[in-house]
Amino acid sequence: MAYVRRPSGGVVIEQMIRNSIAPDVLVIGVVSIDQLHIGGKSYRTAGGAGMYTAIAVQSVGASVELFAPRPISMPSMLKQVDDCLNWFGPEILSDELPQLEITHHGNDAATLNSLEWGAEFKLDPEDLPSDLSECKIVHLAALRSAERQLHFLEVCRSRGAKLISAGTYSYVVKHEPKAVLRLMKEADIFFMNENEAHGLFGTTGNLVADPGKIVFVTLGRKGAIVWTDNLSENIPANSVEQFDPTGAGDTFCGATLAGLSRGEFPQKAVTTAIDLAGLVVTGLGPQALLLSI
């Protein structure tokens, strides 16, 4: 698969000539710098739904590429991420990276204090490969809006993407519920957490998967639920000592997609994904995940 150099919104896409082998999973999203408040202390770490998802795919042994804004000069805290990922996208300054500030309160409760999307707007679906038919799954991680995810989905579908996955997050569920529901309907695979499911459907009991599609709902310490063709199954989680739950849902997503890309049944893929999400919460940011590669 080859990525050609072309202008894009005043930036330039890095030329990346690859072999003709497409990745199992192509992730579209962002890498961010996160400010985390945990147990009365503050930490800065690598973050971003796209980053966590892509590294999780790779941790489980599937091939992955990440389409995300990429700093020309890589910050030191992102160098380990850069070293382990095939990461391409519009070139940006390091201070244009998205930035999140999150306070974790324990018991799966957190407050998103601020979210700056930075140069996320420079991601352009026109810069994606013209033929996506060789990718087993294309995943749309969190972007600035659900409408933007829908636009990427439409372009990916027109370029031959066979299976398209998408995730959501609480802000768009609250402010764009109709767009999130359209995204869920158009995607083949959809991920959300329990609070987001409640925001969309009132209760997880009202959730139904369309025929031939798969919906995953993460339940934090309680594991996850898998919906396939109107049938649901709860998959429990093992107890772990949690330090930083940031990125656990995206880690679950990436590991699940890796399993599905290899032809695993959803329930088996989820079991592995729950274990990997349990691993990532024991460390700060993606450190436990990076050590697993």
Side-chain angles (χ1 to χ4, degrees):
M1 186 179 292
Y3 302 100
V4 298
R5 196 174 182 86
R6 62 177 289 272
S8 176
V11 297
V12 174
I13 298 300
E14 179 182 2
Q15 184 180 27
M16 300 182 70
I17 305 300
R18 306 221 184 271
N19 296 326
S20 60
I21 300 174
D24 294 324
V25 182
L26 172 63
V27 177
I28 299 167
V30 300
V31 178
S32 65
I33 301 294
D34 292 353
Q35 180 80 26
L36 305 177
H37 306 288
I38 304 169
K41 296 183 179 180
S42 296
Y43 307 88
R44 281 175 62 81
T45 182
M51 183 274 293
Y52 277 105
T53 304
I55 293 179
V57 172
Q58 190 158 304
S59 294
V60 182
S63 62
V64 64
E65 290 186 355
L66 172 63
F67 180 52
R70 179 183 171 83
I72 299 168
S73 179
M74 192 64 61
S76 58
M77 72 173 58
L78 294 183
K79 286 183 178 177
Q80 191 175 3
V81 172
D82 185 43
D83 288 343
C84 77
L85 282 180
N86 290 325
W87 172 9
F88 71 102
E91 294 180 342
I92 63 171
L93 300 176
S94 59
D95 64 2
E96 294 181 292
L97 282 162
Q99 298 185 43
L100 287 80
E101 182 180 2
I102 304 169
T103 298
H104 290 293
H105 308 291
N107 296 319
D108 300 324
T111 301
L112 177 61
N113 303 318
S114 65
L115 169 56
E116 299 292 337
W117 282 102
E120 182 272 353
F121 72 93
K122 293 183 179 179
L123 278 181
D124 186 344
E126 294 305 315
D127 292 323
L128 290 168
S130 59
D131 183 4
L132 294 174
S133 63
E134 294 181 352
C135 297
K136 293 179 181 177
I137 302 173
V138 175
H139 176 69
L140 304 173
L143 295 173
R144 187 180 297 264
S145 70
E147 288 288 354
R148 191 147 156 71
Q149 288 176 291
L150 280 164
H151 180 50
F152 268 91
L153 186 148
E154 180 181 352
V155 173
C156 290
R157 194 75 79 188
S158 71
R159 297 187 180 193
K162 296 173 182 175
L163 286 175
I164 299 178
S165 166
T168 190
Y169 58 102
S170 59
Y171 181 87
V172 293
V173 166
K174 181 177 180 180
H175 295 278
E176 300 178 78
K178 291 182 179 179
V180 174
L181 289 171
R182 290 206 316 274
L183 181 65
M184 180 179 172
K185 186 172 184 62
E186 293 297 326
D188 303 292
I189 304 164
F190 196 76
F191 294 85
M192 65 186 122
N193 66 31
E194 186 174 21
N195 289 334
E196 291 152 2
H198 289 169
L200 292 171
F201 300 100
T203 171
T204 54
N206 294 331
L207 198 158
V208 176
D210 289 344
K213 299 192 176 184
I214 311 173
V215 177
F216 300 94
V217 177
T218 56
L219 307 173
R221 300 169 189 267
K222 297 178 290 182
I225 310 175
V226 184
W227 271 267
T228 55
D229 293 331
N230 297 330
L231 299 175
S232 66
E233 184 170 354
N234 287 63
I235 312 294
N238 295 318
S239 177
V240 298
E241 187 172 346
Q242 184 182 102
F243 176 70
D244 173 19
T246 311
D250 298 308
T251 298
F252 171 89
C253 172
T256 299
L257 293 175
L260 295 176
S261 75
R262 295 198 299 262
E264 293 179 357
F265 286 110
Q267 292 79 1
K268 183 178 188 305
V270 164
T271 300
T272 300
I274 289 173
D275 289 343
L276 192 63
L279 173 66
V280 77
V281 303
T282 63
L284 175 65
Q287 286 307 306
L289 199 55
L290 289 165
L291 290 173
S292 71
I293 295 178

